[in-house]
Amino acid sequence: MEQSVENDIQKPKKELTKRDVKKSFWRWTFFSHANYNYERLEATGLVHSLSPIIKKLYADDPEEYKNALKRHMAFFNTEPHFGGIICGMVIAMEEDRANGAPITDDAINGIKTGLMGPFAGIGDTLWQGTLTPILLAFGVSLGAEGNLMGPVVYGLLMFGIMFSLAYFVWMQGYKMGKAGIEKILGSNILQYLITGASAMGAIVLGALTANFVSVSSPFVIKVGAVKLGLQEDILDKLFKGILPLGITLLTLYLLKNRKMKSTRVMLILVVIGVIFGALKIF
């Protein structure tokens, strides 16, 4: 009878508070790349972020606590803002596991490994390919007019937007857990988002090129008594703004296709400018 009563007594459910999840988010925000290394990349930052969660969930089981720390020392690397949704989901999985759910080490590491690449691509596309050019358009426009608030506005907007997005996706990852992420990945929502963001980023870069890349030619071609200005009479009539576009496409080619460093590309552009400027062609 006593043994039956003991079996009926259930262990109290281990629950994380919103404060616990937020504390982990703050740690990830400031320390995700604090020990970035070629062997494990962001793994140690992730362990530092999750350590309060793991300690609370497995406080009564030192061996499981050690195993959890080792589990998250596996190679991990993603875009830290949008990729935080993976960390939030892992927290939810650890909480379920601590409460008896049949979640294995392979299941947790499999989710991390399988999602870190896709969300890195999403994060890089939305951040570097879309948000950064748009905000730079505001900052550069103000700075070009001599307004010192240009870089300040850029910095504040970038911090405010990226921090808000990072916090939102982190908490959503925790709330939705594994099932919610699988539902999102099974739809075409992310693909539409990436395509739209890429298109918007390209439009903004095109607008920046048209406004801030300035190349002209004073060169005059003489054919008998006829004088033709290379810029006004030939190039502008063929394609308005073809010289700035050409310099931009050359820069893109060197950076993307030839994999050159930005400093080397800048040096090449300076050399081109000096040579063609000395010859009074551009």
Side-chain angles (χ1 to χ4, degrees), residues 104-276:
T104 64
D105 292 3
D106 291 339
I108 294 176
N109 284 327
I111 288 295
K112 290 163 56 182
T113 303
L115 296 182
M116 66 183 185
F119 277 100
I122 293 169
D124 290 342
T125 300
L126 296 179
W127 176 29
Q128 300 177 24
T130 304
L131 182 60
T132 298
I134 291 175
L135 296 183
L136 277 175
F138 289 107
V140 171
S141 297
L142 290 174
E145 297 174 358
N147 193 331
L148 295 178
M149 288 301 294
V152 176
V153 169
Y154 168 77
L156 290 177
L157 287 175
M158 178 62 77
F159 173 80
I161 294 174
M162 291 306 297
F163 175 81
S164 301
L165 285 173
Y167 178 79
F168 174 77
V169 299
W170 182 284
M171 300 305 293
Q172 287 301 307
Y174 173 70
K175 291 178 182 178
M176 292 187 298
K178 177 182 176 182
I181 299 298
E182 289 178 342
K183 183 177 180 181
I184 291 177
L185 292 176
S187 65
N188 292 323
I189 296 176
L190 293 179
Q191 187 59 45
Y192 291 143
L193 182 62
I194 292 175
T195 302
S198 299
M200 183 179 294
I203 292 171
V204 172
L205 285 174
L208 286 173
T209 299
N211 281 280
F212 295 103
V213 179
S214 178
V215 183
S216 60
S217 174
F219 191 73
V220 176
I221 300 175
K222 296 181 180 180
V223 182
V226 179
K227 294 182 179 181
L228 295 175
L230 179 62
Q231 176 80 44
E232 298 177 357
D233 299 322
I234 300 178
L235 295 179
D236 284 350
K237 291 183 178 180
L238 290 174
F239 193 116
K240 186 73 173 180
I242 192 172
L243 291 179
L245 177 62
I247 290 295
T248 303
L249 293 178
L250 173 63
T251 304
L252 179 63
Y253 170 77
L254 295 177
L255 290 171
K256 186 175 182 180
N257 296 83
R258 300 301 297 271
K259 307 298 182 182
M260 290 186 181
K261 295 182 179 180
S262 57
T263 51
R264 187 176 180 184
V265 173
M266 291 176 63
L267 181 61
I268 291 174
L269 294 178
V270 169
V271 171
I272 291 175
V274 170
I275 293 175
F276 284 90

